[in-house]
Amino acid sequence: MPAFAVEQIADGVFVHQGLQAEADDRNHGDIGNLGFVIGDDCVAVIDTGGSPSVGRALRRAIEVRTSLPVCYVINTHMHPDHIFGNAAFADTGARFVAAAGFTQALAARRTTYLERAERTLGVATNDGWLVMPGDTVVERMRIDLGGRYLALTAWADAHTDNDLTVVDESSRTLFTGDLLFIDRVPAIDASVTGWLDAIESLAQHAADIAHVVPGHGPVGEQLNAMLAPQTRYLKAIRDQVRSAIDEGYGLAYTTAHVARAERDRWLLFDDYHARNVTAA
C-alpha cells in the first residue's frame, strides 16, 4: 500500500487525501478523503477508506497523534471507498454514525459491493467489512468530543440518498463527503436536481466555513469557488438531459452528446459520465 500521508489543516483536524484513481490491488481502495478530529476527551473519525487495510493505516495515524480513544466513526454515505475501513475500528467501542437510509442502502448492495471489492482489490472479503451504524441522523445531530462539537447534517437525495456532512465548530471545517468532488468527475447515485439543491444550501453558509474537505480532491478554503465547477457540470447534465427528452432523443444519443464539452475538465470522465447522464 502507498505511504499513508496525513495533513493537519487546523488545530486538531487531520485529513488524508485519497488518490484520484479507481480502486485497485495497488492502492487498496485508498481513493477517498478521510479525516479525524481530536477533542479533549476523544476522537471522531470521518470516513475510513476503501478497505480494512486503509482503515488500519488511518487508525495507526490517529494513534501516532493522540492516546485518546476513538469515540465516533462517522460515515458520510455508504459507498465502499468511504466505509470499508470501518472494520479497523470495530473493536474500539466507538459509536458508528450515518444518515438515515445508510443501512438500507448498504444492505441492498451488500453482495455487489463485496464481490466487486474482491475483483478490484484482489482480496477476500466478508461481512465484517460492512459495519452498520448504531446511530442515525434524520436531520441534524450535534456530538461532543469533550469541549469540541461536531454538527452533522443529513441531506435529501443528492449524490446518494444518505449523504451526511460534518462541521467542526471550533475550526469551522466542513467535511462535505461526496457532495463535493474536486478535479475527479462527480458521480450521480441519486438525484441531479437534489444534488444541485444541496449545493445551493451549502453555498448559503460559505461565509461560516474556513476549511473545506471534499470527498475527493484537495482541501481548500473557498467553498463557493470549490463548488462552482461541479455546479456547472451538474447543471449542464440537468439542462441538456431535459432538452434531449423534450426533443424526443433516446438514451443512446443522449449519453453520447450531453455535456461532452466537460470531458477535458475532469479526471475519470469516461468512467462515470455516461452513467451520470443515464442516472439523470
Side-chain angles (χ1 to χ4, degrees):
M1 181 175 166
F4 193 87
V6 172
E7 176 188 5
Q8 182 170 351
I9 66 167
D11 181 35
V13 181
F14 298 83
V15 175
H16 168 73
Q17 183 180 329
L19 300 171
Q20 296 280 48
E22 289 287 76
D24 59 30
D25 59 352
R26 297 179 299 279
N27 60 40
H28 298 263
D30 184 15
I31 64 170
N33 292 346
L34 319 175
F36 58 94
V37 179
I38 303 174
D40 290 341
D41 297 337
C42 61
V43 180
V45 177
I46 299 111
D47 287 337
T48 58
S51 68
S53 62
V54 176
R56 289 191 291 271
L58 176 61
R59 184 170 173 177
R60 287 193 294 270
I62 295 169
E63 291 169 347
V64 165
R65 289 161 178 83
T66 181
S67 60
L68 292 172
V70 174
C71 54
Y72 291 96
V73 174
I74 302 165
N75 289 136
T76 61
H77 62 294
M78 84 303 185
H79 283 159
D81 52 323
H82 296 265
I83 61 103
F84 274 167
N86 284 0
F89 297 89
D91 65 348
T92 62
R95 295 168 61 180
F96 285 77
V97 184
F102 176 103
T103 298
Q104 181 177 353
L106 183 55
R109 303 180 187 197
R110 168 193 167 278
T111 300
T112 300
Y113 282 175
L114 292 177
E115 289 179 350
R116 184 187 301 159
E118 291 203 353
R119 292 195 306 272
T120 58
L121 304 183
V123 297
T125 63
N126 56 60
D127 283 343
W129 286 42
L130 306 176
V131 180
M132 298 297 187
D135 296 294
T136 56
V137 183
V138 176
E139 292 183 354
R140 292 177 177 81
M141 178 184 292
R142 192 166 183 251
I143 61 178
D144 183 7
L145 308 182
R148 184 164 206 155
Y149 294 90
L150 303 184
L152 282 55
T153 302
W155 296 85
D157 289 0
H159 168 61
T160 69
D161 66 359
N162 56 98
D163 295 305
L164 187 72
T165 56
V166 181
V167 173
D168 170 48
E169 296 176 359
S170 296
S171 65
R172 296 164 55 214
T173 299
L174 168 66
F175 291 84
T176 68
D178 279 2
L179 288 181
L180 176 58
F181 286 67
I182 302 295
D183 299 332
R184 176 184 176 130
V185 70
I188 303 170
D189 198 11
S191 169
V192 65
T193 55
W195 198 343
L196 285 165
D197 289 342
I199 289 171
E200 184 177 351
S201 295
L202 287 171
Q204 292 174 0
H205 301 282
D208 301 325
I209 300 301
H211 310 279
V212 182
V213 183
H216 298 270
V219 172
E221 296 178 349
Q222 301 298 321
L223 177 58
N224 283 338
M226 295 171 74
L227 289 168
Q230 179 176 278
T231 302
R232 183 195 65 237
Y233 173 73
L234 294 176
K235 282 185 175 179
I237 290 179
R238 180 198 63 189
D239 296 345
Q240 293 176 36
V241 165
R242 282 176 174 167
S243 294
I245 291 171
D246 290 343
E247 295 169 18
Y249 289 111
L251 184 59
Y253 178 92
T254 303
T255 55
H257 290 85
V258 161
R260 299 302 297 184
E262 292 284 332
R263 187 174 187 275
D264 294 335
R265 294 169 167 172
W266 298 99
L267 301 171
L268 303 174
F269 183 90
D270 291 338
D271 295 290
Y272 288 92
H273 178 68
R275 278 185 271 174
N276 286 339
V277 175
T278 301

